Each structure stands twice: as structure tokens, then as C-alpha cells.
Amino acid sequence: MYHDEKIILAFIASLVISIFSTARVIRFSNRLGMGDKPSEERKLHKKQIPNWGGVCVFIATMFAYFSFCDYGAGLRPDKLFSITILLFFIGLKDDLEPIIFSRRFLYEFLCAFFIIYITDIRISRMYGVLYIDELPYWGSFLLTSVFIVACINAYNMIDGIDGLLTSLSLVGSIVLAMIFYDAGEWLWTLLCMSLFGALIGFLFFNWQPARIFIGNGGSMFMGTIFACLSLHVIQLGTVYSAFFTISMPQTIALGIVSLPVCDMIYVFIVRLMKRSSPFKADRSHIHHRLLSLGLQHWHAVLVLVFMYILILYFSYRIQETGGLRSLLFTLGFCLFLELLLELICKLKRLKS
């Protein structure tokens, strides 16, 4: 009960701080004339909107966590925060003055290396992919670094319409909180619930029509946090509870990040097929395709949240197949939804 009370208090504290700080940041940014201007055709907003929302989510999460955490054994989330702070400020710098992709990737890989070195959170097995099971340390280090950097950029790229990244992160944080709670990882539960409260408070201002964006600082923070939380799920092993059983945690971890990552992979493939740079921004993301069907922003967000919940449920149910099959089925199901949506868009264009 002692830990349960702290988790509830951390959730309430992060919620209140997020609402209070977001309102102040909006007022401050508007007063100074700072924000994201609709300078590109792909951007959907018509006026300048503050893009420092990540500051509010970050502060609320960190304050709530550190206010109610205490000393504990094992791997503590605290070890992630020094690197997360660095990535957060890199994202803020990108909001104020865009950073070229090569330099940004260098920063992200350096931060990923430090995360793995400090926490030893890493992917140690391939579960039969390419006939590889156990990975050597250097291979594990490299693969985990690529995974973290992929998540950082995937979460950054999916932040394209009002409330989308915030809503997906809400679902991901509460699912992870349930897993960590039943696994007895109370500090990790505390972090997830602190993040959950901060995101709810921020969503009040980020829902369509958005009064503030989460920005690159916030999206890079989300990508880093969810990459590390997913990797820690893999390290839990089997989790038994009165409500669910997790026998293949790597499948659940993949399901948590699958929608942003698969959308990024799909967009990269489409851009390469068009002989364009995979990093050149366009309107080929999954949320843009939903909008092209005539959906409003909040309709598109609800559709993608439903898809995300469906993927998470599928990743949970498919565990029974075990090992490589469950991983491939989870990825295949996510890509199937992407292709199905693309087919619907093409049929609509042919009809019109």
C-alpha cells in the first residue's frame, strides 16, 4: 500500500504540474512570438503555435518521479535520466535552430551508447532471426543502439497532427505501468504513471485545435523513454499475474513501439521508391493518409489509437506461437494495417 499511495500521488502531481506549466508556457511563448510557423506546405496549422510542450511534459514527469521515488535495489530508471536530459535539450535546440541530420544522428548514437553503457539495457538475443540466437556483446551493443535511435526518430516523425503522439504515448505508458506493476518493478511503474499524468495534462492543450505542440524536444524525450522502457520489459522475463501472463516479453516490447517504427520504415521505403531522400519531409505518413480520406484530426487520432490498441492486443495474443514467429507476426500485422490503409487511399483516389 505504501508504494501504491506514492504511485497515485505521483500521477496527481504530474497531472497538476503539467496543466499549470503548459498554460504558462503557452502564454509566455505567445507573448514573445515564439513557436512553429506554418512555413512548409506539409504543415497543417495556419498560424504560429508554441512548440515547447515537451518542456512541460519533461518537467512534470521528472518532478513527480523524483518527489516520490526512494532507494531501491536493481536497475533504477534514474540512470536513464542524465542521457534523456541531454537528448531532450538536443531536441529543444532543433526546435529553435534546426540541426542537420548527420549531426543529429551523431548525437543520438552517442546518447544511445551512453544509455547502454550506464544501464546495460540491451537486446541480447535474436530469437532465431537470421539463424542467430545469442548475440556477442558488440553485436548486442550495436543492435540496441540502432533500436534506440530508430525509436527516437520514429516518435519524432509520427508527431504530425494534433494530439497524435500524446495519445499514443498515453496508451503506451499505461500499458507499461500495468506490466511493471504486476512484475513488482514499482520504480518503473512510478515513472510510467508520472509520464501518464504529465501527458493527460498536456493533452488538454494539445488536442485539436492544438494550442501548443510537444516539439522535437518532447518527441525525442518520448522516443528515448519508450525505447528504454521497452528494452527493460524484455529483461523482465516471464510475468504472471491475476489478469495476464507475459511469456514472450520481447513481443510485447516490439508491440509498444511498432506503430511509430513501422510507419517510419514504410515512409522511408516509399520515399526511396520515389528516388527521394528518406529524410525529406512529405505527406506520406499514416496520419496524412487518413486525413486524405477526409477525416478530421481527432478522427484520425482515434483511428490510430484504436489501431495501436489492436496491435498491442495482437502482440499479447500471439505470444503463444513463441520466439521468432511471434516477433515476425507482430511486425507483419502492423505492416498489414499500413498496407491496408494505403490500399483504401488508392481506391478512394481512383473513385474520385
Side-chain angles (χ1 to χ4, degrees):
M1 182 60 68
Y2 172 72
H3 288 161
D4 292 352
E5 291 174 354
K6 287 196 169 187
I7 289 170
I8 295 171
L9 289 172
F11 165 75
I12 296 172
S14 63
L15 174 63
V16 173
I17 294 169
S18 178
I19 293 174
F20 179 83
S21 60
T22 304
R24 297 302 182 276
V25 166
I26 292 172
R27 188 179 304 172
F28 175 77
S29 299
N30 289 334
R31 186 183 304 162
L32 296 182
M34 301 174 64
D36 187 44
K37 299 178 181 178
S39 55
E40 302 175 31
E41 185 181 349
R42 67 184 178 89
K43 294 188 176 182
L44 303 173
H45 55 287
K46 305 301 180 183
K47 63 178 183 178
Q48 180 173 288
I49 296 179
N51 57 346
W52 285 24
V55 174
C56 311
V57 175
F58 180 80
I59 290 174
T61 304
M62 296 300 102
F63 182 89
Y65 174 82
F66 282 110
S67 295
F68 296 98
C69 74
D70 55 15
Y71 295 101
L75 175 61
R76 294 170 54 91
D78 313 22
K79 294 184 177 183
L80 302 172
F81 294 150
S82 58
I83 308 302
T84 304
I85 290 170
L86 179 57
L87 273 168
F88 170 70
F89 280 105
I90 291 171
L92 279 184
K93 167 68 168 59
D94 198 27
D95 285 324
L96 296 171
E97 184 181 349
I99 303 173
I100 60 175
F101 280 107
S102 58
R103 185 175 299 175
R104 179 169 154 177
F105 274 117
L106 175 61
Y107 293 151
E108 290 170 356
F109 271 107
L110 285 174
C111 291
F113 290 156
F114 279 118
I115 287 173
I116 301 167
Y117 180 76
I118 292 172
T119 65
D120 199 35
I121 290 180
R122 52 191 175 87
I123 302 169
S124 58
R125 295 179 60 192
M126 289 283 285
Y127 304 96
V129 177
L130 300 177
Y131 304 101
I132 300 172
D133 189 22
E134 293 291 334
L135 285 169
Y137 181 78
W138 65 268
S140 172
F141 205 98
L142 181 60
L143 180 62
T144 308
S145 300
V146 172
F147 174 79
I148 294 173
V149 172
C151 287
I152 293 171
N153 287 278
Y155 276 77
N156 179 256
M157 294 173 71
I158 200 122
D159 180 32
I161 58 176
D162 298 347
L164 177 55
L165 176 59
T166 311
S167 299
L168 295 177
S169 299
L170 271 173
V171 176
S173 60
I174 194 62
V175 169
L176 286 165
M178 293 167 59
I179 294 172
F180 289 133
Y181 184 82
D182 283 323
E185 298 273 339
W186 94 268
L187 284 176
W188 292 83
T189 308
L190 183 72
L191 172 60
C192 291
M193 290 305 294
S194 299
L195 179 61
F196 184 64
L199 290 168
I200 289 180
F202 179 71
L203 188 60
F204 289 140
F205 304 91
N206 188 231
W207 193 254
Q208 186 191 17
R211 296 166 56 191
I212 188 171
F213 296 147
I214 200 166
N216 290 329
S219 62
M220 291 179 74
F221 173 60
M222 290 294 107
T224 310
I225 283 291
F226 278 101
C228 295
L229 291 173
S230 300
L231 289 170
H232 189 56
V233 167
I234 296 175
Q235 295 184 328
L236 293 179
T238 304
V239 178
Y240 296 101
S241 77
F243 303 101
F244 55 82
T245 300
I246 296 178
S247 57
M248 295 289 293
Q250 63 274 11
T251 307
I252 305 299
L254 184 61
I256 291 291
V257 300
S258 59
L259 183 58
V261 170
C262 284
D263 182 61
M264 180 185 69
I265 294 172
Y266 180 86
V267 168
F268 278 4
I269 292 173
V270 169
R271 290 172 183 173
L272 289 172
M273 289 175 65
K274 293 179 180 179
R275 297 184 179 180
S276 177
S277 169
F279 305 108
K280 183 180 179 181
D282 57 19
R283 294 173 62 90
S284 57
H285 286 283
I286 189 169
H287 45 272
H288 291 132
R289 280 175 275 149
L290 284 172
L291 293 178
S292 70
L293 292 175
L295 298 181
Q296 297 181 20
H297 280 223
W298 69 276
H299 290 152
V301 171
L302 292 179
V303 168
L304 289 174
V305 167
F306 176 75
M307 282 179 59
Y308 187 45
I309 294 172
L310 192 63
I311 291 168
L312 289 172
Y313 178 75
F314 182 84
S315 65
Y316 173 73
R317 298 300 301 178
I318 206 67
Q319 293 178 102
E320 299 172 2
T321 60
L324 174 61
R325 287 184 181 179
S326 62
L327 292 174
L328 294 179
F329 283 159
T330 301
L331 276 176
F333 182 68
C334 190
L335 289 173
F336 166 75
L337 293 177
E338 286 267 1
L339 293 171
L340 180 62
L341 181 59
E342 179 65 21
L343 177 62
I344 294 172
C345 291
K346 286 185 176 181
L347 289 175
K348 183 178 183 296
R349 284 196 294 269
L350 288 172
K351 184 177 179 180
S352 60

